[in-house]
Amino acid sequence: MSILIPILAAILASSLTYFLTLRIRKFELLQINKIAAFKDVSTALTKLKRHCLGKIAEIEGNELSPYSAHESSIFECRQRLAMSLDENSIFLSQSSRAKLEGIINELSGLATAELSVDVESNFPGIESSYLEMSVKAKRYIDLLYADLNLKKINR
């Protein structure tokens, strides 16, 4: 009986260590995937924001703007965001998915406007639509920080 107690204690301790280690490893893998999801979706939102700010600069005639709208189109930004959302939706909350799907739907109108020959005359006030979309993209990046439980690094 005196030998049985230390053997049972060792078995219990090793089993507990195994299960806790397994649980910690699962949590670490989940966090790694959350960070990758955040990076992918936030990159798509950042490209959208840059494109919108580039279009605003183009409309205003600001040639010195650090943003360029010539790198992509709003359609490409929309497509990239939609693919990123599809691939990473498992890590996002229902409300975040709904908001991102909403911004993707709103981008359809801007994509149609960009296909127009004379955007400024056919779509008056388009500049405010681009500005609103860039603000939404920034806001959704902040939402992703909270949604994925990531701490924002203050710079």
Side-chain angles (χ1 to χ4, degrees):
M1 187 69 153
S2 63
I3 290 180
L4 189 61
I5 293 175
I7 291 173
L8 288 175
I11 291 172
L12 181 64
S14 63
S15 297
L16 187 61
T17 302
Y18 171 77
F19 288 115
L20 289 177
T21 303
L22 188 62
R23 188 173 185 179
I24 289 170
R25 183 66 182 142
K26 285 180 183 179
F27 179 76
E28 287 173 351
L29 288 173
L30 180 65
Q31 286 301 105
I32 289 169
N33 287 323
K34 278 185 173 186
I35 291 169
F38 168 78
K39 183 178 178 185
D40 193 41
V41 176
S42 69
T43 298
L45 286 168
T46 301
K47 286 181 180 182
L48 170 64
K49 184 180 91 168
R50 268 190 263 151
H51 178 78
C52 290
L53 293 175
K55 286 303 270 188
I56 292 169
E58 184 181 296
I59 292 168
E60 291 176 345
N62 183 356
E63 297 174 1
L64 300 176
S65 172
Y67 304 105
S68 173
H70 301 293
E71 296 174 1
S72 64
S73 68
I74 204 78
F75 179 76
E76 290 171 347
C77 293
R78 179 182 179 268
Q79 194 173 24
R80 170 78 172 103
L81 185 59
M83 298 230 356
S84 180
L85 178 61
D86 286 343
E87 293 168 359
N88 299 295
S89 64
I90 193 168
F91 300 107
L92 302 174
S93 68
Q94 183 68 31
S95 65
S96 292
R97 284 194 304 264
K99 288 179 182 180
L100 289 171
E101 287 168 356
I103 199 172
I104 289 168
N105 291 334
E106 289 179 46
L107 287 171
S108 297
L110 282 176
T112 303
E114 277 191 4
L115 293 174
S116 176
V117 176
D118 189 14
V119 176
E120 287 104 34
S121 63
N122 290 338
F123 297 93
I126 190 96
E127 184 178 343
S128 64
S129 296
Y130 280 115
L131 182 60
E132 180 183 340
M133 198 56 65
S134 71
V135 169
K136 282 183 180 182
K138 166 103 175 63
R139 195 173 339 136
Y140 291 156
I141 290 171
D142 292 339
L143 176 72
L144 285 176
Y145 275 109
D147 194 32
L148 299 175
N149 292 325
L150 298 173
K151 293 183 180 179
K152 195 170 182 180
I153 300 172
N154 294 329
R155 295 179 189 170

